[in-house]
Amino acid sequence: MSWAAHEFENYFIQKHVGVKASFLGIVVGTQLPDLFTKAFVYSADDPAQFHRGWPGVGFSHSLIFGVVFAAAILAITRSRGWALGVLIGQWAHVLTDVSDTAGVMLFFPFSTEPVTISMWKHAAAEGQYGDAAAYYSSLGWAWDLFWLAMALVFAWRTLRRDYFREVIVAADPRVWGWLHRTFRLPESALLLLYRGLMFYGVGRLIAWFLYARLDARVPLDLSWGGPGHVAGNDISDAGPLEVLIRTGIGGVLFAGFLWLCWWAFGRRLWERGYDVPVAAERRRVVTRTGQ
Ligand SMILES: [Zn+2]
């Protein structure tokens, strides 16, 4: 699994989708796979198998899980921005988790073979603290730093007040407006909430890294597939060719299934949905072009 990388991704994604997707939707999407499962993972008999495999809750880390949630959100709220946000966020989380040794069943239920590049060990078997110590001693730590850098270098503008006003709120005026009215939060408080996720991610990154160095005292091991002090936790013994073939077939079936869903009800749901309210969109354009 990845830790703070999931927080940093949100800003990077937002920069690329602009007003098309709700930031809060993206956040819900990136949290979705671990939201209902993580609490049970550490107490499972075989944490890696339970977290990512089948049988288990590994379907939470599949692309179809995001599609189901996005479709349900579109059907209930009719908000395209939220549906799109949740979908992109969940898919980003799934793709990010390809990096640990347990991997993800990308095309579940059409393939239950986990896909992984085994960059660092899935270490949930060590318990939450051991897991954190292992992650922040491996390339996982570098992965967090990479996403922090991506967010700060390429998406730093998303943290500015005017961006918050013109894109974040404009893309989702209903929910931000609701937060503003219900909790009587002024814009600065909403902005703090928005930026808070970045601070939360940075805080976690620093705190767990220091914990791994100073308290757990485990050695830093930036080798591929590390850290060495943790036992391997690969949940499949299939060779690369078998994984490739099964994933390939799963991918084709998944794409066909998506197309069928789009044709059967997806397009109707999308057409029934609404985009960002026109007024908000106009305001954004006006501010941008300075007219
Ligand atoms: Zn995850």
Side-chain angles (χ1 to χ4, degrees):
M1 65 194 80
S2 303
W3 290 57
H6 292 315
E7 272 96 61
F8 305 139
E9 275 166 2
N10 296 311
Y11 299 90
F12 186 75
I13 296 170
Q14 182 70 57
K15 159 94 190 305
H16 290 85
V17 291
V19 286
K20 287 198 190 69
S22 156
F23 179 78
L24 296 170
I26 297 172
V27 173
V28 169
T30 50
Q31 300 299 315
L32 204 53
D34 288 331
L35 197 60
F36 306 110
T37 58
K38 201 69 174 283
F40 305 103
V41 167
Y42 292 118
S43 53
D45 288 339
D46 183 347
Q49 167 67 33
F50 175 75
H51 190 202
R52 299 290 178 70
W54 177 258
V57 293
F59 57 83
S60 62
H61 284 70
S62 69
L63 299 179
I64 206 165
F65 193 70
V67 175
V68 170
F69 264 85
I73 283 168
L74 188 58
I76 296 166
T77 68
R78 300 195 178 195
S79 166
R80 290 179 182 171
W82 262 80
L84 209 59
V86 167
L87 184 72
I88 298 172
Q90 200 269 349
W91 281 21
H93 183 124
V94 171
L95 294 175
T96 308
D97 282 1
V98 161
S99 316
D100 69 42
T101 51
V104 294
M105 301 184 290
L106 277 181
F107 304 121
F108 178 89
F110 305 104
S111 166
T112 53
E113 189 57 49
V115 178
T116 168
I117 57 168
S118 300
M119 220 162 125
W120 61 83
K121 283 187 183 119
H122 184 283
E126 308 288 308
Q128 190 183 0
Y129 283 81
D131 190 8
Y135 182 78
Y136 285 105
S137 304
S138 72
L139 281 175
W141 170 59
W143 190 238
D144 271 11
L145 287 179
F146 170 76
W147 279 105
L148 175 61
M150 290 294 272
L152 291 181
V153 174
F154 295 109
W156 64 272
R157 223 166 48 85
T158 60
L159 291 169
R160 282 169 39 172
R161 180 184 286 266
D162 56 350
Y163 189 93
F164 175 71
R165 205 177 275 167
E166 291 155 28
V167 181
I168 303 299
V169 176
D172 192 3
R174 292 198 174 175
V175 176
W176 288 106
W178 176 82
L179 287 170
H180 169 66
R181 288 187 309 272
T182 313
F183 303 102
R184 297 175 194 278
L185 297 174
E187 190 191 42
S188 52
L190 296 175
L191 187 61
L192 199 66
L193 204 68
Y194 166 67
R195 288 173 177 161
L197 199 69
M198 174 64 96
F199 293 123
Y200 172 67
V202 172
R204 285 217 304 168
L205 175 58
I206 295 172
W208 283 123
F209 183 79
L210 290 178
Y211 165 75
R213 299 288 78 73
L214 306 175
D215 197 347
R217 291 174 188 273
V218 292
L220 196 61
D221 175 7
L222 298 181
S223 63
W224 196 272
H229 77 274
V230 174
N233 222 340
D234 199 334
I235 61 175
S236 167
D237 45 20
L241 188 66
E242 190 187 340
V243 174
L244 200 69
I245 292 171
R246 292 183 59 179
T247 305
I249 295 172
V252 170
L253 291 174
F254 175 70
F257 177 76
L258 274 194
W259 179 81
L260 208 69
C261 288
W262 176 253
W263 178 76
F265 62 88
R267 188 168 36 185
R268 220 163 351 124
L269 275 185
W270 184 259
E271 277 165 5
R272 227 172 51 119
Y274 69 88
D275 272 322
V276 181
V278 180
E281 171 76 13
R282 235 194 73 73
R283 203 164 47 238
R284 187 183 68 89
V285 173
V286 168
T287 343
R288 254 212 186 152
T289 52
Q291 286 165 352

